[in-house]
Amino acid sequence: MVAAGTLATVVVAGLASLFMAWAIGAGSSGSTPFAPAVGANAISVMRAGFFVGILGFAGAVLQGANVSEAVGRELIGGVTLSPVAAVVGLTIAAVLVAIGVFAGYPIATAFTVTGAVIGVGLAMGGDPAWAKYREIGTLWVLTPFIGGGAAYATAKTLRDERVPERVAIPLLAGVVAAIVTNINFVVLGPAGEAASIAGTLALTVADGGLAARAGITVGLALVAVGALARDIDADPAAGQRHFLLVLGGLVAFSAGGSQVGLAIGPLLPLVSPGSAVVVPLTTVLVFGGVGLLVGSWTGAPRMIKALSQDYSSLGPRRSIAALIPSFAIAQAAVFFGIPVSFNEIIVSAIIGSGYAAGGSGVSGRKMLFTVLAWVASLTIAVVAGYGGFLVVDAVV
């Protein structure tokens, strides 16, 4: 039988995790995916909040395992997070994110959670996981340059009169379809594993080799190109809007898969096999997904407005340019199990696409405060996590 004290501590940790999931849903994963679409008047703020919640929940359940494992077990060495450490780390990170939500500034969720977990882990006597930190830091540093640069180049191409939109946009849809075809989903793989659409279909028509997967990828990409080309030929404005909404949905799904790990990762050591309380990973992912869903429905509209209107005046083409690299970077982070900030991804892409039009509508002041908030959130989270654990552990 589980001791009452242990069970109570795990319940408190679960509530802290749920609070963190709500804060992420209201801020990072809930606000960023459809912000460009709202800025381009392709969807209303409230409707965007509704759909991002549903799609984020699906992403959390179907793709959330990799990042969850990394946050829960790979950020600190030599120790396993205790229930007290999990509660302190999650609460500190959630409070920082919630402050950003209500202040209207997008705090980088990955920075706060990563910093808080590292802080409490070091306070417990753990060792820094330098190899993982280098991996995470590399992605964090490269994201503004890759995401912003790709968005800038894409927006420039779409604005170039020498490149017809009826050609450029369907080709971009083909690129997106190729990525989707090779994303791993748990529902397609055997128990405990994930598989891609291309890999699954390749096994049904051939030996599952690289050539078969490549052929299926190209085939499905061409289907997407043809479908969007017909849509644009019928009504160019409607075709752009449809593509923009599909991109928003894909980014929302990716946000759920990436961000749920930030909420439930610190909880995993407390409920994994060998612990006093054992809960299946799928159940924990659903638990986190529900938190994201509620956060998206109740708190995301404020941040959607901030991102869609305050950073840059976005039209459909620049919005498309912002969402494509955001989707690609998010899926790369999910694949490698790296906690990444969706605010950093989408803000960088929005700014890059805005500069493609000569910087029109890009708020330099907002950019400066956002970068400062990112740096401060990481620093404060590490210090607060370290000090907070020492204080709470001494009292408890």
Side-chain angles (χ1 to χ4, degrees), residues 182-211:
N182 289 278
I183 291 173
N184 287 330
F185 301 95
V186 294
V187 293
L188 297 179
E193 298 181 21
S196 67
I197 296 172
T200 302
L201 292 179
L203 288 173
T204 63
V205 300
D207 60 355
L210 180 61

Side-chain angles (χ1 to χ4, degrees), residues 10-32:
V10 172
V11 170
V12 172
L15 292 175
S17 177
L18 189 63
F19 177 38
M20 186 69 220
W22 175 88
I24 293 173
S28 180
S29 71
S31 63
T32 52

Side-chain angles (χ1 to χ4, degrees), residues 156-177:
K156 273 290 189 183
T157 300
L158 293 177
R159 289 174 58 85
D160 193 333
E161 295 181 355
R162 296 170 297 179
V163 182
E165 283 189 355
R166 65 177 304 275
V167 174
I169 293 180
L171 287 177
L172 290 173
V175 173
V176 172

